[in-house]
Amino acid sequence: MRPLLCGFQSSSARTPARRSTTTTTKGIAMMRRASTRAWRNACCAPRRKNRGYDDALSYYSSIRVVGKCVLPKAFVQGGKDAADAADAFEGQESIDVTREETDGETSVGQTGAVTSVQPGGLLVLEGLRSSVQLGSMLRFPGLQAKAVLLAHREPKSFAMLATKLGGVHVPDSDNVAEIKVGDALEVEKVDEENKKSKAKTFQIPPEKDLRGRIVSALGAPTSPSGFRAISEAYLHEGSGEDLIADQPPVDARKPITTPLITGASAVDVLTPIGRGQCLLVSGEPNTGISEFLQMSVNAQKKSNVRCVYAAVGASKDKSQEIAKALDVLEENNTNTSTTIVTVSKDATIAERYIATLTAFAIAEGARNSGIDALLCIDDFSGMTGFAREMAELAPDAKLDDESDENKEEIEGMLVSAAMAERRRFLGSTLQRVARLNDKLGGGSITLLGAMTHPIGAYDKDYDSNSNEGESIDYMQKAKETVANFENMPESLQKKLADGLKKKAEAASQALSVTNYAKRNNQTNVPENAYTQPRPLVEEFMSITDGQVFIKDLDPKTGWLWDQKMSVSRIGAPGQAQAFKKINALELRLQLMQSDDMSAYGKTGEEKRKLNAKSDAVGLFMKQKPGEVRSIAESFIGVYAMTKTSFAEREDVSGEKMLEFANACIAQAKSTIADVIESMDASASGDLSAEDEGKIATVVKDVSVKMF
């Protein structure tokens, strides 16, 4: 009695007799085109030696997939054993693999059915295999409706209805009533006469046709002039950008070595971003995250960087203001290097997600042409919201289990099945960000993605569950947080505990000043509806190549950056060469050390000098939205602060040092304009000793006048 493929035995349902463990290469190639799960199980079956292609085809067409087991059709077509099988596999998926035809790349010709129709045109489907490529076009026999496949969550799939408007697709929420639960659908093919034809993929208009335009969720321009700019090739042949593309493989990528300048000194100097990097930008509501992204786009006006801005979070409500800030005025066509992707104010989560995919597709179109692109996603709530929506519409007891008993390894971490699935979903999109190698044109996508967290989520000693008047045992807190605390001398233990208390009191005082208004008077800020919990923010941190944290935004003085939380995992390779002359890494460490010394550092002159210089640099790093600084301006300002000792003098305030730095920048522009121009022309270029000497002379001349 031979074992069945599922691991148990039956007399009337044995596998075919006299099969060896070998088969022909051609037979293997044929079966490998089947779904991964069916192929893996089919390989476990003994096979007769040298049966060849016809026999392999005959064998494969005689099996069915039941749950995770491959069985001969006879096993599930009647008899006592069939009844036993039905009991054994009750509730599991049964798929007829003979329905699946493939060409080795994309499964086509599969059919499914609508199980749910959601507001805004989102469809929940059943029957499509996960091997069907995302982004495939779906059609409904007998109906005019079309849809684009967005995601799989077995046994369900998700698609968005789409209709053509002036030759360009838009999300179809008007014809939702035409689609009913139970309606059949199938994957549309490039060549309907060829059963092995590839699936037809959904494409948005070409990237070059959308420059200087505002477009909707699927790339349709929002103005008549925008439609007139769409090429005839796309309107008649549909040759545009794939909505959903695969991640570039490792061998298609190139190391990140070219800086991308955002115009914010705190970022460009201390948290440098390289072209091809994926960076999270996070902060509390109303801290100017959108304004920072807009400033980053405006900083590219004199560069060759193509920009795509997706206003798909709270920013969707002010897309016209953003367009004005970015000079994307369609009728005048003033900014031909930027495209804004936006949605209506009442857009569904699925529509916001598909708009995010459209923004990625436009940026990929530029990268594939050898261009460097800056992609700003404002914000990630469409992606995270769609992941939650899929879990709600297609619940899975195993995948939705967050318990410790249901863990799996992903990227070297042991996480819950739900988190692992979410990371794969988010990573499949975020990992499309890359710099391509020279053979593929050398283009890149740099991503700045916004995410707001709740007010107070990152405050020191913040605990949303603690009582406001509850006392804290700082000795116990030090014991829990400081390594080898119990082995330290008692005097040092007391000093560390006192330091923790002092630091907490200082943070509490600062918190009451900076966040009082937000906590008590700004509960209706639009961003509050789009905040993400701290664990999800930190999940994004682990997926991206770093993060920029914004503490606060003062309308009078500008942004307050959190240098401890802000980090670039690319580091020096993504930094402008000039900033290495001021030792930006050491400066960053000094700023963080100064913050720590407020609680733990030495008292006396050393602490005073370090704090004074750090405070002065911190004032310079503050910028108001719209105040874009070039490489030269950031360099000269920091150079004046750090290469002189005026900030350490007790009679010189931080405000005086800020005035000094700005005066040095102004004089350099008027006296050594050639040096300024040379520095700004190439972020990757070295600053020569001669040019550095000219800057030093300017700083010296200004200091004589001011000090």
Side-chain angles (χ1 to χ4, degrees):
M1 187 177 293
R2 295 179 179 272
L4 286 174
L5 303 181
C6 56
F8 61 89
Q9 299 175 332
S10 172
S11 59
S12 64
R14 299 172 183 170
T15 54
R18 295 188 300 164
R19 291 186 175 178
S20 71
T21 56
T22 62
T23 188
T24 64
T25 303
K26 192 172 184 181
I28 289 178
M30 188 284 299
M31 286 190 288
R32 192 178 294 278
R33 297 188 185 107
S35 68
T36 302
R37 184 172 63 190
W39 164 246
R40 183 176 63 246
N41 288 293
C43 283
C44 300
R47 305 186 188 98
R48 187 182 305 158
K49 187 175 182 179
N50 297 326
R51 295 190 64 167
Y53 175 80
D54 292 336
D55 184 70
L57 178 62
S58 175
Y59 173 71
Y60 191 76
S61 63
S62 72
I63 62 176
R64 294 189 72 185
V65 180
V66 182
K68 294 186 177 180
C69 303
V70 179
L71 305 172
K73 279 187 177 179
F75 188 80
V76 291
Q77 288 181 344
K80 180 178 182 300
D81 292 311
D84 294 341
D87 293 338
F89 297 107
E90 183 179 359
Q92 295 197 41
E93 178 187 12
S94 178
I95 302 169
D96 186 350
V97 296
T98 61
R99 294 172 59 194
E100 181 174 307
E101 298 172 1
T102 67
D103 66 347
E105 296 181 9
T106 307
S107 297
V108 297
Q110 292 195 53
T111 60
V114 177
T115 62
S116 176
V117 181
Q118 299 297 314
L122 178 66
L123 304 178
V124 184
L125 316 174
E126 195 168 47
L128 290 179
R129 299 294 300 280
S130 60
S131 53
V132 178
Q133 180 180 334
L134 299 183
S136 297
M137 289 289 292
L138 307 176
R139 65 182 181 185
F140 301 82
L143 300 175
Q144 294 296 318
K146 302 271 185 167
V148 54
L149 183 62
L150 297 181
H152 294 291
R153 195 178 202 250
E154 290 191 342
K156 306 289 186 181
S157 300
F158 299 86
M160 172 69 79
L161 281 172
T163 189
K164 278 194 172 183
L165 178 64
V168 184
H169 282 92
V170 295
D172 189 356
S173 57
D174 297 328
N175 296 320
V176 172
E178 183 183 4
I179 305 298
K180 296 179 175 56
V181 173
D183 282 351
L185 57 93
E186 61 186 10
V187 178
E188 190 171 352
K189 307 172 193 174
V190 175
D191 182 2
E192 294 297 337
E193 301 300 322
N194 184 359
K195 292 184 178 180
K196 293 187 177 181
S197 173
K198 292 182 179 180
K200 186 175 183 180
T201 57
F202 185 92
Q203 294 186 325
I204 64 170
E207 168 272 328
K208 59 183 177 61
D209 295 347
L210 302 179
R211 297 183 181 184
R213 303 295 174 188
I214 303 173
V215 301
S216 61
L218 286 174
T222 58
S223 69
S225 62
F227 274 98
R228 289 194 294 269
I230 303 299
S231 62
E232 291 293 324
Y234 175 77
L235 294 176
H236 294 97
E237 301 172 16
S239 55
E241 316 295 350
D242 287 341
L243 178 68
I244 303 178
D246 293 332
Q247 313 160 18
V250 175
D251 58 359
R253 300 175 183 243
K254 183 179 179 180
I256 296 172
T257 56
T258 306
L260 184 132
I261 304 302
T262 66
S265 297
V267 177
D268 297 334
V269 178
L270 303 176
T271 315
I273 302 172
R275 298 188 185 185
Q277 188 169 350
C278 177
L279 206 77
L280 172 70
V281 182
S282 187
E284 295 179 353
N286 209 37
T287 53
I289 298 176
S290 294
E291 287 77 4
F292 168 65
L293 297 186
Q294 293 165 38
M295 190 171 79
S296 299
V297 171
N298 284 329
Q300 312 310 317
K301 286 185 176 179
K302 294 183 180 180
S303 72
N304 59 350
V305 176
R306 171 81 162 90
C307 299
V308 183
Y309 194 104
V312 292
S315 55
K316 64 182 171 55
D317 298 341
K318 49 183 180 181
S319 58
Q320 290 301 320
E321 297 175 29
I322 294 173
K324 186 175 181 180
L326 301 182
D327 290 332
V328 182
L329 307 176
E330 293 191 284
E331 302 307 323
N332 298 328
N333 208 22
T334 53
N335 185 350
T336 56
S337 65
T338 300
T339 300
I340 296 176
V341 182
T342 189
V343 292
S344 62
K345 293 184 178 181
D346 59 349
T348 63
I349 289 176
E351 199 171 344
R352 287 161 51 206
Y353 171 62
I354 209 170
T356 302
L357 295 179
T358 296
F360 267 88
I362 297 171
E364 284 172 326
R367 181 181 64 187
N368 295 339
S369 301
I371 299 172
D372 290 322
L374 171 60
L375 172 60
C376 295
I377 303 296
D378 187 10
D379 56 24
F380 279 137
S381 61
M383 290 178 63
T384 59
F386 190 66
R388 286 193 298 269
E389 195 165 82
M390 285 195 297
E392 293 170 0
L393 294 173
D396 186 305
K398 181 179 179 181
L399 288 178
D400 298 334
D401 185 3
E402 296 276 4
S403 67
D404 293 336
E405 290 76 17
N406 188 28
K407 299 283 187 181
E408 66 176 272
E409 184 180 359
I410 181 171
E411 300 172 8
M413 300 179 294
L414 195 63
V415 300
S416 68
M419 180 181 289
E421 184 201 35
R422 186 168 59 245
R423 285 181 70 89
R424 283 189 287 266
F425 171 73
L426 298 174
S428 65
T429 300
L430 298 179
Q431 289 170 15
R432 290 159 66 179
V433 176
R435 184 183 183 190
L436 300 183
N437 61 35
D438 293 338
K439 289 183 180 179
L440 297 175
S444 69
I445 295 177
T446 306
L447 172 64
L448 296 179
M451 183 176 277
T452 54
H453 52 256
I455 293 174
Y458 281 90
D459 290 343
K460 296 178 176 65
D461 299 314
Y462 173 79
D463 184 356
S464 59
N465 298 317
S466 64
N467 296 323
E468 200 167 316
E470 186 179 358
S471 61
I472 300 175
D473 185 347
Y474 288 100
M475 185 65 74
Q476 179 63 30
K477 191 174 181 67
K479 182 179 179 180
E480 295 171 353
T481 57
V482 180
N484 298 319
F485 182 79
E486 294 179 343
N487 298 327
M488 296 178 181
E490 186 176 346
S491 58
L492 182 56
Q493 290 180 349
K494 187 176 185 304
K495 184 176 182 180
L496 288 171
D498 290 343
L500 278 176
K501 182 178 180 180
K502 185 177 180 182
K503 195 172 184 180
E505 290 173 348
S508 178
Q509 184 177 3
L511 179 66
S512 65
V513 174
T514 60
N515 284 341
Y516 178 82
K518 285 190 289 184
R519 290 181 185 281
N520 294 278
N521 302 320
Q522 296 190 10
T523 55
N524 294 322
V525 172
E527 289 90 338
N528 280 326
Y530 298 87
T531 58
Q532 306 296 329
R534 177 170 171 170
L536 187 57
V537 174
E538 293 176 349
E539 191 173 320
F540 265 80
M541 289 184 201
S542 65
I543 298 175
T544 59
D545 302 321
Q547 65 272 348
V548 171
F549 256 59
I550 303 177
K551 279 187 178 180
D552 205 354
L553 173 62
D554 187 326
K556 295 181 180 179
T557 59
W559 285 293
L560 179 62
W561 312 88
D562 190 331
Q563 296 303 336
K564 285 186 177 180
M565 292 294 294
S566 300
V567 61
S568 171
R569 296 190 181 92
I570 302 301
Q575 188 177 58
Q577 291 296 312
F579 296 142
K580 296 178 181 179
K581 295 282 187 177
I582 53 178
N583 202 339
L585 177 59
E586 182 180 343
L587 176 61
R588 175 184 170 84
L589 292 174
Q590 287 178 354
L591 292 173
M592 291 191 292
Q593 184 182 7
S594 173
D595 185 42
D596 286 339
M597 285 182 70
S598 299
Y600 301 111
K602 299 177 182 178
T603 57
E605 192 65 10
E606 180 185 350
K607 176 181 177 180
R608 188 196 64 76
K609 288 182 178 181
L610 179 61
N611 285 346
K613 181 173 285 190
S614 298
D615 289 345
V617 173
L619 282 175
F620 179 73
M621 293 298 180
K622 287 185 176 182
Q623 287 174 250
K624 297 178 183 179
E627 292 181 353
V628 180
R629 283 190 186 141
S630 66
I631 296 174
E633 290 172 330
S634 292
F635 176 85
I636 294 170
V638 175
Y639 188 95
M641 293 278 191
T642 60
K643 296 294 183 179
T644 63
S645 59
F646 302 117
E648 298 177 357
R649 287 168 40 176
E650 292 189 60
D651 62 333
V652 177
S653 65
E655 289 73 16
K656 183 70 173 180
M657 286 301 299
L658 179 60
E659 182 184 348
F660 170 57
N662 289 331
C664 290
I665 294 171
Q667 182 154 326
K669 286 181 177 179
S670 62
T671 59
I672 53 171
D674 57 327
V675 175
I676 302 290
E677 185 177 350
S678 175
M679 291 179 68
D680 292 338
S682 176
S684 301
D686 290 327
L687 178 65
S688 67
E690 181 183 356
D691 287 348
E692 185 180 359
K694 292 180 180 179
I695 293 173
T697 300
V698 168
V699 172
K700 183 177 180 180
D701 291 344
V702 175
S703 66
V704 170
K705 297 176 184 177
M706 293 188 63
F707 300 105

